Short mmCIF file of all heavy atoms in Angstrom, two decimals:
data_model
loop_
_atom_site.label_atom_id
_atom_site.label_comp_id
_atom_site.label_asym_id
_atom_site.label_seq_id
_atom_site.Cartn_x
_atom_site.Cartn_y
_atom_site.Cartn_z
N MET A 30 22.98 -3.87 20.91
CA MET A 30 21.50 -4.02 21.10
C MET A 30 21.35 -4.44 22.64
O MET A 30 22.04 -5.22 23.12
CB MET A 30 20.97 -5.07 20.17
CG MET A 30 19.67 -4.83 19.71
SD MET A 30 19.04 -6.08 18.53
CE MET A 30 20.12 -5.84 17.20
N LYS A 31 20.29 -3.84 23.14
CA LYS A 31 20.10 -4.16 24.65
C LYS A 31 18.76 -4.94 24.74
O LYS A 31 17.76 -4.53 24.23
CB LYS A 31 19.95 -2.80 25.37
CG LYS A 31 19.72 -2.91 26.83
CD LYS A 31 19.73 -1.51 27.46
CE LYS A 31 18.47 -1.32 28.26
NZ LYS A 31 18.40 -0.02 28.85
N VAL A 32 18.81 -5.99 25.48
CA VAL A 32 17.59 -6.82 25.76
C VAL A 32 16.91 -6.18 26.92
O VAL A 32 17.37 -5.87 28.01
CB VAL A 32 18.01 -8.32 26.10
CG1 VAL A 32 16.74 -9.06 26.49
CG2 VAL A 32 18.75 -8.91 24.91
N GLU A 33 15.63 -5.98 26.78
CA GLU A 33 14.70 -5.46 27.82
C GLU A 33 13.65 -6.36 28.23
O GLU A 33 13.07 -7.01 27.42
CB GLU A 33 14.10 -4.10 27.19
CG GLU A 33 15.11 -3.09 26.80
CD GLU A 33 14.55 -1.83 26.22
OE1 GLU A 33 13.69 -2.01 25.32
OE2 GLU A 33 14.82 -0.79 26.64
N LYS A 34 13.32 -6.27 29.49
CA LYS A 34 12.32 -7.15 30.11
C LYS A 34 11.12 -6.31 30.49
O LYS A 34 11.27 -5.10 30.71
CB LYS A 34 12.94 -7.96 31.29
CG LYS A 34 13.98 -8.82 30.91
CD LYS A 34 14.44 -9.60 32.12
CE LYS A 34 15.61 -10.49 31.81
NZ LYS A 34 15.33 -11.62 30.98
N ASP A 35 9.98 -7.03 30.52
CA ASP A 35 8.70 -6.41 30.95
C ASP A 35 8.24 -5.17 30.23
O ASP A 35 7.70 -4.18 30.84
CB ASP A 35 8.87 -6.03 32.55
CG ASP A 35 9.11 -7.25 33.38
OD1 ASP A 35 8.55 -8.32 33.14
OD2 ASP A 35 9.93 -7.17 34.30
N VAL A 36 8.50 -5.19 28.96
CA VAL A 36 8.04 -4.07 28.04
C VAL A 36 6.71 -4.62 27.48
O VAL A 36 6.72 -5.62 26.76
CB VAL A 36 9.01 -3.69 26.97
CG1 VAL A 36 8.40 -2.71 26.13
CG2 VAL A 36 10.32 -3.26 27.61
N PRO A 37 5.54 -4.09 27.75
CA PRO A 37 4.32 -4.56 27.22
C PRO A 37 4.15 -4.43 25.75
O PRO A 37 4.72 -3.44 25.12
CB PRO A 37 3.24 -3.70 27.91
CG PRO A 37 3.87 -2.47 28.35
CD PRO A 37 5.34 -2.76 28.48
N MET A 38 3.59 -5.42 25.12
CA MET A 38 3.40 -5.43 23.61
C MET A 38 2.17 -4.54 23.33
O MET A 38 1.16 -4.65 24.02
CB MET A 38 3.20 -6.81 23.09
CG MET A 38 3.09 -6.94 21.71
SD MET A 38 3.11 -8.73 21.30
CE MET A 38 2.83 -8.64 19.55
N PRO A 39 2.30 -3.66 22.30
CA PRO A 39 1.17 -2.80 22.01
C PRO A 39 -0.02 -3.60 21.53
O PRO A 39 0.17 -4.76 20.98
CB PRO A 39 1.66 -1.84 20.92
CG PRO A 39 2.86 -2.51 20.43
CD PRO A 39 3.48 -3.39 21.48
N ASP A 40 -1.15 -3.06 21.52
CA ASP A 40 -2.41 -3.71 21.01
C ASP A 40 -2.20 -3.85 19.54
O ASP A 40 -1.47 -3.14 18.90
CB ASP A 40 -3.63 -2.79 21.25
CG ASP A 40 -4.00 -2.80 22.73
OD1 ASP A 40 -3.62 -3.63 23.48
OD2 ASP A 40 -4.69 -1.82 23.13
N HIS A 41 -2.92 -4.80 18.98
CA HIS A 41 -2.78 -5.04 17.53
C HIS A 41 -3.27 -3.92 16.73
O HIS A 41 -4.15 -3.13 17.18
CB HIS A 41 -3.50 -6.38 17.12
CG HIS A 41 -5.01 -6.28 17.21
ND1 HIS A 41 -5.69 -6.23 18.47
CD2 HIS A 41 -5.95 -6.09 16.24
CE1 HIS A 41 -6.98 -6.08 18.18
NE2 HIS A 41 -7.21 -6.07 16.98
N ILE A 42 -2.84 -3.73 15.47
CA ILE A 42 -3.27 -2.69 14.62
C ILE A 42 -4.72 -3.05 14.12
O ILE A 42 -4.97 -4.10 13.70
CB ILE A 42 -2.26 -2.47 13.51
CG1 ILE A 42 -0.89 -2.14 13.95
CG2 ILE A 42 -2.84 -1.49 12.44
CD1 ILE A 42 0.21 -2.12 12.96
N LYS A 43 -5.48 -2.03 14.11
CA LYS A 43 -6.83 -2.21 13.79
C LYS A 43 -6.96 -2.48 12.18
O LYS A 43 -6.32 -1.80 11.47
CB LYS A 43 -7.80 -1.11 14.05
CG LYS A 43 -8.08 -0.85 15.50
CD LYS A 43 -9.11 0.06 15.77
CE LYS A 43 -8.59 1.50 15.72
NZ LYS A 43 -9.61 2.56 16.09
N ARG A 44 -7.59 -3.50 11.86
CA ARG A 44 -7.87 -3.75 10.44
C ARG A 44 -8.71 -2.61 9.91
O ARG A 44 -9.67 -2.17 10.63
CB ARG A 44 -8.52 -5.08 10.09
CG ARG A 44 -7.60 -6.24 10.45
CD ARG A 44 -8.13 -7.48 9.77
NE ARG A 44 -6.91 -8.02 9.18
CZ ARG A 44 -6.86 -8.47 7.98
NH1 ARG A 44 -7.92 -8.40 7.18
NH2 ARG A 44 -5.73 -8.86 7.44
N GLY A 45 -8.54 -2.22 8.67
CA GLY A 45 -9.30 -1.21 8.07
C GLY A 45 -8.81 0.27 8.38
O GLY A 45 -9.46 1.24 8.07
N ALA A 46 -7.66 0.35 9.12
CA ALA A 46 -7.09 1.58 9.33
C ALA A 46 -6.79 2.36 7.98
O ALA A 46 -6.38 1.73 7.12
CB ALA A 46 -5.88 1.54 10.21
N ARG A 47 -6.98 3.62 8.03
CA ARG A 47 -6.71 4.47 6.77
C ARG A 47 -5.16 4.29 6.39
O ARG A 47 -4.36 4.42 7.22
CB ARG A 47 -7.11 5.87 7.00
CG ARG A 47 -8.64 6.06 7.09
CD ARG A 47 -9.37 5.69 5.89
NE ARG A 47 -9.27 6.52 4.68
CZ ARG A 47 -9.86 6.37 3.65
NH1 ARG A 47 -10.53 5.28 3.39
NH2 ARG A 47 -9.72 7.15 2.57
N SER A 48 -5.02 4.11 5.17
CA SER A 48 -3.68 4.18 4.64
C SER A 48 -3.36 5.45 4.14
O SER A 48 -4.16 6.28 3.89
CB SER A 48 -3.57 3.11 3.47
OG SER A 48 -2.42 3.20 2.72
N ARG A 49 -2.02 5.78 4.01
CA ARG A 49 -1.61 7.01 3.33
C ARG A 49 -1.84 6.98 1.89
O ARG A 49 -1.70 8.01 1.14
CB ARG A 49 -0.20 7.34 3.71
CG ARG A 49 0.77 6.43 3.11
CD ARG A 49 2.10 6.88 3.39
NE ARG A 49 3.01 5.81 3.71
CZ ARG A 49 4.27 5.96 3.94
NH1 ARG A 49 4.89 7.05 3.92
NH2 ARG A 49 5.02 4.89 4.17
N TYR A 50 -2.17 5.90 1.33
CA TYR A 50 -2.50 5.80 -0.13
C TYR A 50 -3.96 5.60 -0.30
O TYR A 50 -4.64 5.04 0.43
CB TYR A 50 -1.70 4.58 -0.68
CG TYR A 50 -0.23 4.59 -0.41
CD1 TYR A 50 0.37 3.72 0.48
CD2 TYR A 50 0.64 5.53 -1.01
CE1 TYR A 50 1.72 3.71 0.73
CE2 TYR A 50 1.94 5.59 -0.76
CZ TYR A 50 2.56 4.63 0.10
OH TYR A 50 3.86 4.66 0.34
N PRO A 51 -4.46 6.06 -1.48
CA PRO A 51 -5.96 6.09 -1.71
C PRO A 51 -6.54 4.82 -2.33
O PRO A 51 -7.53 4.82 -2.97
CB PRO A 51 -6.11 7.31 -2.58
CG PRO A 51 -4.96 7.31 -3.46
CD PRO A 51 -3.76 6.85 -2.44
N PHE A 52 -5.86 3.62 -2.13
CA PHE A 52 -6.28 2.49 -2.88
C PHE A 52 -7.74 2.15 -2.54
O PHE A 52 -8.45 1.61 -3.36
CB PHE A 52 -5.34 1.28 -2.56
CG PHE A 52 -3.91 1.60 -2.85
CD1 PHE A 52 -2.92 1.37 -1.96
CD2 PHE A 52 -3.52 2.25 -4.09
CE1 PHE A 52 -1.58 1.61 -2.15
CE2 PHE A 52 -2.24 2.51 -4.34
CZ PHE A 52 -1.24 2.20 -3.39
N ARG A 53 -8.15 2.33 -1.28
CA ARG A 53 -9.57 1.97 -0.93
C ARG A 53 -10.63 2.71 -1.79
O ARG A 53 -11.63 2.23 -2.01
CB ARG A 53 -9.70 2.23 0.65
CG ARG A 53 -11.10 2.04 1.07
CD ARG A 53 -11.24 2.47 2.50
NE ARG A 53 -10.49 1.34 3.30
CZ ARG A 53 -10.41 1.48 4.58
NH1 ARG A 53 -10.90 2.47 5.22
NH2 ARG A 53 -9.68 0.65 5.23
N ASP A 54 -10.19 3.93 -2.19
CA ASP A 54 -11.14 4.80 -2.87
C ASP A 54 -11.17 4.71 -4.37
O ASP A 54 -12.01 5.31 -4.98
CB ASP A 54 -10.96 6.25 -2.44
CG ASP A 54 -11.01 6.50 -0.89
OD1 ASP A 54 -11.88 5.84 -0.29
OD2 ASP A 54 -10.14 7.38 -0.39
N MET A 55 -10.22 3.87 -4.89
CA MET A 55 -10.05 3.74 -6.25
C MET A 55 -10.99 2.83 -6.95
O MET A 55 -11.39 1.79 -6.35
CB MET A 55 -8.60 3.36 -6.64
CG MET A 55 -7.56 4.38 -6.30
SD MET A 55 -5.85 3.87 -6.50
CE MET A 55 -5.78 3.77 -8.30
N GLU A 56 -11.54 3.19 -8.08
CA GLU A 56 -12.32 2.42 -8.95
C GLU A 56 -11.54 1.78 -10.16
O GLU A 56 -10.53 2.34 -10.41
CB GLU A 56 -13.58 3.15 -9.45
CG GLU A 56 -14.43 3.69 -8.33
CD GLU A 56 -15.61 4.49 -8.85
OE1 GLU A 56 -15.89 4.48 -10.03
OE2 GLU A 56 -16.28 5.15 -8.08
N VAL A 57 -12.03 0.75 -10.76
CA VAL A 57 -11.36 0.19 -11.93
C VAL A 57 -11.16 1.27 -12.98
O VAL A 57 -11.96 2.06 -13.29
CB VAL A 57 -12.17 -0.96 -12.50
CG1 VAL A 57 -11.57 -1.43 -13.79
CG2 VAL A 57 -12.36 -2.09 -11.52
N GLY A 58 -9.92 1.43 -13.37
CA GLY A 58 -9.42 2.43 -14.33
C GLY A 58 -8.77 3.66 -13.70
O GLY A 58 -8.20 4.36 -14.50
N ASP A 59 -8.92 3.86 -12.47
CA ASP A 59 -8.34 4.99 -11.77
C ASP A 59 -6.88 4.74 -11.59
O ASP A 59 -6.43 3.53 -11.51
CB ASP A 59 -9.00 5.19 -10.41
CG ASP A 59 -10.41 5.80 -10.46
OD1 ASP A 59 -10.90 6.11 -11.54
OD2 ASP A 59 -11.02 5.79 -9.39
N SER A 60 -6.07 5.73 -11.50
CA SER A 60 -4.66 5.61 -11.22
C SER A 60 -4.22 6.66 -10.30
O SER A 60 -4.86 7.78 -10.13
CB SER A 60 -3.80 5.61 -12.53
OG SER A 60 -3.82 6.96 -13.02
N VAL A 61 -3.03 6.46 -9.66
CA VAL A 61 -2.47 7.45 -8.76
C VAL A 61 -0.97 7.37 -9.00
O VAL A 61 -0.27 6.44 -9.32
CB VAL A 61 -2.79 7.10 -7.23
CG1 VAL A 61 -2.18 5.75 -6.90
CG2 VAL A 61 -2.28 8.09 -6.28
N PHE A 62 -0.36 8.66 -8.97
CA PHE A 62 1.11 8.80 -9.18
C PHE A 62 1.70 9.05 -7.90
O PHE A 62 1.31 10.10 -7.18
CB PHE A 62 1.33 9.91 -10.16
CG PHE A 62 2.86 10.10 -10.43
CD1 PHE A 62 3.52 9.27 -11.29
CD2 PHE A 62 3.50 11.22 -9.87
CE1 PHE A 62 4.86 9.50 -11.48
CE2 PHE A 62 4.80 11.45 -10.04
CZ PHE A 62 5.56 10.55 -10.84
N ILE A 63 2.70 8.32 -7.55
CA ILE A 63 3.51 8.53 -6.31
C ILE A 63 4.97 8.91 -6.72
O ILE A 63 5.72 8.06 -7.25
CB ILE A 63 3.53 7.26 -5.42
CG1 ILE A 63 2.06 6.98 -5.02
CG2 ILE A 63 4.31 7.49 -4.17
CD1 ILE A 63 1.49 5.77 -5.48
N GLU A 64 5.34 10.18 -6.42
CA GLU A 64 6.68 10.68 -6.77
C GLU A 64 7.66 10.09 -6.01
O GLU A 64 7.60 9.81 -4.73
CB GLU A 64 6.65 12.20 -6.63
CG GLU A 64 7.84 12.84 -7.24
CD GLU A 64 7.80 14.42 -7.27
OE1 GLU A 64 6.64 14.93 -6.94
OE2 GLU A 64 8.81 14.97 -7.40
N GLY A 65 8.83 9.71 -6.68
CA GLY A 65 9.98 9.15 -5.91
C GLY A 65 9.85 7.62 -5.57
O GLY A 65 10.78 7.10 -4.95
N GLU A 66 8.76 6.92 -6.00
CA GLU A 66 8.64 5.59 -5.72
C GLU A 66 9.04 4.69 -6.91
O GLU A 66 9.10 5.12 -8.01
CB GLU A 66 7.15 5.24 -5.32
CG GLU A 66 6.68 5.60 -4.04
CD GLU A 66 7.26 4.54 -2.93
OE1 GLU A 66 7.45 3.35 -3.32
OE2 GLU A 66 7.31 4.96 -1.76
N GLY A 67 9.33 3.41 -6.61
CA GLY A 67 9.56 2.47 -7.72
C GLY A 67 8.67 1.25 -7.52
O GLY A 67 7.97 1.12 -6.55
N THR A 68 8.78 0.28 -8.39
CA THR A 68 7.92 -0.91 -8.32
C THR A 68 8.32 -1.88 -7.13
O THR A 68 7.55 -2.76 -6.87
CB THR A 68 8.00 -1.71 -9.62
OG1 THR A 68 9.28 -1.93 -9.93
CG2 THR A 68 7.29 -0.93 -10.73
N ASN A 69 9.48 -1.66 -6.57
CA ASN A 69 9.83 -2.45 -5.38
C ASN A 69 9.76 -1.57 -4.20
O ASN A 69 10.42 -1.94 -3.20
CB ASN A 69 11.16 -3.11 -5.60
CG ASN A 69 12.33 -2.06 -5.80
OD1 ASN A 69 11.99 -0.91 -6.12
ND2 ASN A 69 13.60 -2.53 -5.83
N GLY A 70 8.99 -0.54 -4.17
CA GLY A 70 8.97 0.37 -2.97
C GLY A 70 7.66 0.09 -2.17
O GLY A 70 6.92 -0.87 -2.41
N ASN A 71 7.47 0.91 -1.15
CA ASN A 71 6.41 0.72 -0.21
C ASN A 71 4.97 0.88 -0.86
O ASN A 71 4.08 0.22 -0.49
CB ASN A 71 6.49 1.81 0.88
CG ASN A 71 7.72 1.56 1.78
OD1 ASN A 71 8.16 0.42 1.88
ND2 ASN A 71 8.19 2.57 2.39
N ALA A 72 4.86 1.84 -1.71
CA ALA A 72 3.46 2.09 -2.33
C ALA A 72 2.98 0.90 -3.11
O ALA A 72 1.83 0.48 -2.99
CB ALA A 72 3.53 3.33 -3.17
N TYR A 73 3.89 0.27 -3.91
CA TYR A 73 3.42 -0.83 -4.74
C TYR A 73 3.08 -2.02 -3.85
O TYR A 73 2.18 -2.73 -4.05
CB TYR A 73 4.56 -1.17 -5.74
CG TYR A 73 4.01 -2.21 -6.81
CD1 TYR A 73 2.93 -1.94 -7.68
CD2 TYR A 73 4.59 -3.48 -6.88
CE1 TYR A 73 2.46 -2.79 -8.62
CE2 TYR A 73 4.09 -4.33 -7.83
CZ TYR A 73 3.02 -3.98 -8.68
OH TYR A 73 2.73 -4.89 -9.64
N SER A 74 3.93 -2.30 -2.86
CA SER A 74 3.71 -3.33 -1.88
C SER A 74 2.28 -3.10 -1.13
O SER A 74 1.53 -4.07 -0.97
CB SER A 74 4.80 -3.45 -0.82
OG SER A 74 6.02 -3.84 -1.43
N ALA A 75 2.03 -1.91 -0.84
CA ALA A 75 0.84 -1.57 -0.03
C ALA A 75 -0.38 -1.87 -1.03
O ALA A 75 -1.45 -2.32 -0.57
CB ALA A 75 0.85 -0.09 0.37
N ALA A 76 -0.25 -1.45 -2.27
CA ALA A 76 -1.33 -1.75 -3.23
C ALA A 76 -1.58 -3.24 -3.39
O ALA A 76 -2.74 -3.69 -3.35
CB ALA A 76 -1.00 -1.06 -4.59
N GLN A 77 -0.56 -3.99 -3.52
CA GLN A 77 -0.70 -5.46 -3.63
C GLN A 77 -1.42 -6.02 -2.38
O GLN A 77 -2.29 -6.92 -2.50
CB GLN A 77 0.70 -6.16 -3.89
CG GLN A 77 1.25 -5.70 -5.19
CD GLN A 77 0.44 -5.98 -6.48
OE1 GLN A 77 -0.05 -7.14 -6.58
NE2 GLN A 77 0.25 -5.03 -7.25
N MET A 78 -0.95 -5.65 -1.19
CA MET A 78 -1.41 -6.15 0.06
C MET A 78 -2.98 -5.76 0.19
O MET A 78 -3.80 -6.56 0.56
CB MET A 78 -0.62 -5.74 1.24
CG MET A 78 0.66 -6.40 1.29
SD MET A 78 1.55 -6.07 2.83
CE MET A 78 0.62 -6.91 3.92
N HIS A 79 -3.24 -4.50 -0.13
CA HIS A 79 -4.68 -4.05 -0.12
C HIS A 79 -5.51 -4.82 -1.03
O HIS A 79 -6.59 -5.29 -0.67
CB HIS A 79 -4.76 -2.53 -0.43
CG HIS A 79 -6.15 -2.09 -0.56
ND1 HIS A 79 -6.88 -1.90 0.64
CD2 HIS A 79 -6.95 -1.81 -1.51
CE1 HIS A 79 -8.13 -1.44 0.21
NE2 HIS A 79 -8.12 -1.44 -1.11
N GLY A 80 -4.95 -5.05 -2.27
CA GLY A 80 -5.75 -5.77 -3.21
C GLY A 80 -6.00 -7.21 -2.85
O GLY A 80 -7.21 -7.69 -2.98
N ARG A 81 -5.06 -7.89 -2.17
CA ARG A 81 -5.37 -9.27 -1.72
C ARG A 81 -6.44 -9.34 -0.65
O ARG A 81 -7.18 -10.24 -0.70
CB ARG A 81 -4.01 -9.81 -1.09
CG ARG A 81 -3.12 -10.40 -2.09
CD ARG A 81 -1.94 -11.03 -1.52
NE ARG A 81 -0.76 -10.81 -2.27
CZ ARG A 81 0.26 -10.17 -1.82
NH1 ARG A 81 0.45 -9.84 -0.57
NH2 ARG A 81 1.31 -9.87 -2.60
N GLY A 82 -6.40 -8.37 0.23
CA GLY A 82 -7.38 -8.38 1.32
C GLY A 82 -8.74 -7.87 0.82
O GLY A 82 -9.82 -8.26 1.44
N ALA A 83 -8.82 -7.14 -0.18
CA ALA A 83 -10.13 -6.51 -0.65
C ALA A 83 -10.64 -7.22 -1.99
O ALA A 83 -11.68 -6.71 -2.47
CB ALA A 83 -9.97 -5.02 -0.84
N GLY A 84 -9.93 -8.12 -2.58
CA GLY A 84 -10.37 -8.65 -3.72
C GLY A 84 -10.29 -7.75 -4.95
O GLY A 84 -10.96 -7.84 -5.92
N LYS A 85 -9.15 -6.91 -4.87
CA LYS A 85 -8.93 -6.02 -6.00
C LYS A 85 -7.60 -6.26 -6.60
O LYS A 85 -6.75 -6.92 -5.94
CB LYS A 85 -9.05 -4.48 -5.48
CG LYS A 85 -10.25 -4.14 -4.82
CD LYS A 85 -10.12 -2.76 -4.24
CE LYS A 85 -11.42 -2.37 -3.59
NZ LYS A 85 -11.27 -1.13 -2.84
N ARG A 86 -7.31 -5.78 -7.84
CA ARG A 86 -6.03 -6.00 -8.42
C ARG A 86 -5.44 -4.60 -8.86
O ARG A 86 -6.16 -3.80 -9.44
CB ARG A 86 -6.06 -6.93 -9.57
CG ARG A 86 -6.49 -8.32 -9.16
CD ARG A 86 -6.49 -9.27 -10.14
NE ARG A 86 -5.14 -9.51 -10.76
CZ ARG A 86 -4.81 -10.31 -11.73
NH1 ARG A 86 -5.81 -10.93 -12.42
NH2 ARG A 86 -3.67 -10.45 -12.18
N PHE A 87 -4.19 -4.45 -8.73
CA PHE A 87 -3.45 -3.25 -9.05
C PHE A 87 -2.19 -3.60 -9.84
O PHE A 87 -1.66 -4.61 -9.73
CB PHE A 87 -3.00 -2.54 -7.78
CG PHE A 87 -4.16 -1.98 -6.91
CD1 PHE A 87 -4.75 -2.84 -5.93
CD2 PHE A 87 -4.62 -0.69 -7.15
CE1 PHE A 87 -5.77 -2.25 -5.18
CE2 PHE A 87 -5.73 -0.33 -6.35
CZ PHE A 87 -6.29 -1.09 -5.45
N ARG A 88 -1.89 -2.66 -10.75
CA ARG A 88 -0.57 -2.79 -11.55
C ARG A 88 0.06 -1.45 -11.48
O ARG A 88 -0.48 -0.40 -11.41
CB ARG A 88 -0.92 -3.04 -12.98
CG ARG A 88 -1.54 -4.38 -13.36
CD ARG A 88 -0.56 -5.45 -13.20
NE ARG A 88 -1.12 -6.81 -13.37
CZ ARG A 88 -1.44 -7.63 -12.54
NH1 ARG A 88 -1.23 -7.41 -11.19
NH2 ARG A 88 -1.96 -8.80 -12.82
N GLY A 89 1.34 -1.54 -11.41
CA GLY A 89 2.23 -0.37 -11.34
C GLY A 89 3.31 -0.25 -12.45
O GLY A 89 3.76 -1.36 -12.76
N ARG A 90 3.55 0.87 -12.90
CA ARG A 90 4.66 1.08 -13.93
C ARG A 90 5.46 2.27 -13.54
O ARG A 90 4.83 3.28 -13.11
CB ARG A 90 4.03 1.23 -15.36
CG ARG A 90 3.17 0.00 -15.87
CD ARG A 90 4.15 -1.05 -16.21
NE ARG A 90 3.47 -2.17 -16.76
CZ ARG A 90 2.99 -3.14 -16.12
NH1 ARG A 90 3.00 -3.33 -14.78
NH2 ARG A 90 2.27 -4.22 -16.76
N GLN A 91 6.79 2.17 -13.78
CA GLN A 91 7.61 3.33 -13.61
C GLN A 91 7.19 4.40 -14.56
O GLN A 91 7.02 4.21 -15.71
CB GLN A 91 9.01 2.82 -13.92
CG GLN A 91 10.08 3.61 -13.15
CD GLN A 91 9.98 3.41 -11.62
OE1 GLN A 91 9.87 2.34 -11.14
NE2 GLN A 91 10.12 4.59 -10.92
N GLU A 92 7.15 5.71 -14.11
CA GLU A 92 6.77 6.77 -14.89
C GLU A 92 7.59 8.00 -14.47
O GLU A 92 7.47 8.55 -13.42
CB GLU A 92 5.28 7.07 -14.89
CG GLU A 92 4.78 8.20 -15.70
CD GLU A 92 3.35 8.44 -15.50
OE1 GLU A 92 2.56 7.57 -15.94
OE2 GLU A 92 2.91 9.46 -15.05
N GLY A 93 8.59 8.41 -15.25
CA GLY A 93 9.40 9.48 -14.93
C GLY A 93 10.22 9.28 -13.71
O GLY A 93 10.91 8.25 -13.45
N ASN A 94 10.00 10.19 -12.62
CA ASN A 94 10.69 9.99 -11.42
C ASN A 94 9.79 9.47 -10.36
O ASN A 94 10.00 9.65 -9.17
CB ASN A 94 11.18 11.38 -11.00
CG ASN A 94 10.04 12.41 -10.55
OD1 ASN A 94 8.91 12.19 -11.08
ND2 ASN A 94 10.30 13.37 -9.74
N GLY A 95 8.84 8.63 -10.72
CA GLY A 95 7.99 7.94 -9.76
C GLY A 95 7.30 6.76 -10.29
O GLY A 95 7.75 6.14 -11.19
N LEU A 96 6.14 6.43 -9.70
CA LEU A 96 5.40 5.19 -9.93
C LEU A 96 3.97 5.52 -10.09
O LEU A 96 3.39 6.26 -9.37
CB LEU A 96 5.60 4.26 -8.83
CG LEU A 96 4.76 3.00 -8.84
CD1 LEU A 96 5.38 2.03 -9.95
CD2 LEU A 96 4.85 2.25 -7.53
N ARG A 97 3.37 5.04 -11.19
CA ARG A 97 1.89 5.14 -11.36
C ARG A 97 1.25 3.82 -11.20
O ARG A 97 1.69 2.74 -11.64
CB ARG A 97 1.52 5.66 -12.79
CG ARG A 97 0.10 5.83 -12.97
CD ARG A 97 -0.32 6.58 -14.16
NE ARG A 97 0.23 8.00 -14.12
CZ ARG A 97 -0.29 9.06 -13.49
NH1 ARG A 97 -1.49 8.86 -12.80
NH2 ARG A 97 0.23 10.23 -13.59
N ILE A 98 0.25 3.72 -10.27
CA ILE A 98 -0.47 2.44 -9.94
C ILE A 98 -1.94 2.60 -10.44
O ILE A 98 -2.63 3.68 -10.11
CB ILE A 98 -0.37 2.28 -8.44
CG1 ILE A 98 1.13 2.13 -7.97
CG2 ILE A 98 -1.27 1.03 -8.11
CD1 ILE A 98 1.28 2.03 -6.51
N TRP A 99 -2.32 1.63 -11.15
CA TRP A 99 -3.65 1.55 -11.64
C TRP A 99 -4.53 0.45 -10.94
O TRP A 99 -3.94 -0.60 -10.64
CB TRP A 99 -3.80 1.19 -13.07
CG TRP A 99 -3.32 2.24 -14.11
CD1 TRP A 99 -4.04 3.13 -14.77
CD2 TRP A 99 -1.92 2.44 -14.53
NE1 TRP A 99 -3.16 3.93 -15.52
CE2 TRP A 99 -1.95 3.57 -15.38
CE3 TRP A 99 -0.67 1.83 -14.29
CZ2 TRP A 99 -0.87 3.99 -16.08
CZ3 TRP A 99 0.45 2.27 -14.85
CH2 TRP A 99 0.40 3.35 -15.79
N ARG A 100 -5.76 0.68 -10.67
CA ARG A 100 -6.70 -0.33 -10.27
C ARG A 100 -7.18 -0.99 -11.58
O ARG A 100 -7.81 -0.31 -12.42
CB ARG A 100 -7.73 0.15 -9.42
CG ARG A 100 -8.69 -1.08 -9.07
CD ARG A 100 -9.61 -0.82 -8.06
NE ARG A 100 -10.54 -1.85 -7.93
CZ ARG A 100 -11.82 -1.84 -7.53
NH1 ARG A 100 -12.26 -0.74 -7.05
NH2 ARG A 100 -12.58 -2.95 -7.54
N VAL A 101 -6.91 -2.30 -11.65
CA VAL A 101 -7.27 -3.02 -12.95
C VAL A 101 -8.46 -3.97 -12.77
O VAL A 101 -8.97 -4.48 -13.75
CB VAL A 101 -6.02 -3.72 -13.51
CG1 VAL A 101 -5.06 -2.70 -14.05
CG2 VAL A 101 -5.42 -4.66 -12.64
N GLU A 102 -8.85 -4.33 -11.61
CA GLU A 102 -9.98 -5.29 -11.28
C GLU A 102 -10.50 -4.98 -10.00
O GLU A 102 -9.96 -4.62 -9.02
CB GLU A 102 -9.30 -6.66 -11.38
CG GLU A 102 -10.41 -7.76 -11.55
CD GLU A 102 -9.68 -9.10 -11.70
OE1 GLU A 102 -8.98 -9.27 -12.64
OE2 GLU A 102 -10.00 -9.92 -10.80
#
């Protein structure tokens, strides 16, 4: 690993930037299936983090070869 000097830090990430997952558009009772994901994968973590920031709750369950995430509140 090489230590580098004078590399500027990028601007912060804008809050509210669009996610690759549709959690923002989901209503209570809606679900989304993400193929190849598990409950300890990126999609479930993203749902939980989105829910904390937006006052929503999501639940995920393994389904076949992927993960289904429901908006529950």
Side-chain angles (χ1 to χ4, degrees):
M30 214 178 295
K31 181 175 128 182
V32 175
E33 299 175 309
K34 297 184 183 289
D35 298 321
V36 175
M38 188 169 168
D40 292 337
H41 69 286
I42 297 173
K43 289 192 277 186
R44 291 196 134 229
R47 291 300 284 179
S48 169
R49 67 175 139 173
Y50 305 110
F52 304 131
R53 176 183 290 179
D54 303 325
M55 292 174 70
E56 297 179 11
V57 175
D59 290 351
S60 71
V61 62
F62 179 77
I63 297 115
E64 191 171 346
E66 279 282 335
T68 53
N69 58 351
N71 292 333
Y73 191 64
S74 295
Q77 296 301 311
M78 289 187 68
H79 173 76
R81 277 189 219 116
K85 301 174 183 176
R86 294 183 68 183
F87 295 89
R88 292 287 180 257
R90 296 291 182 267
Q91 207 64 47
E92 183 178 293
N94 65 337
L96 175 72
R97 182 165 300 278
I98 298 175
W99 289 266
R100 178 168 171 207
V101 294
E102 193 175 303

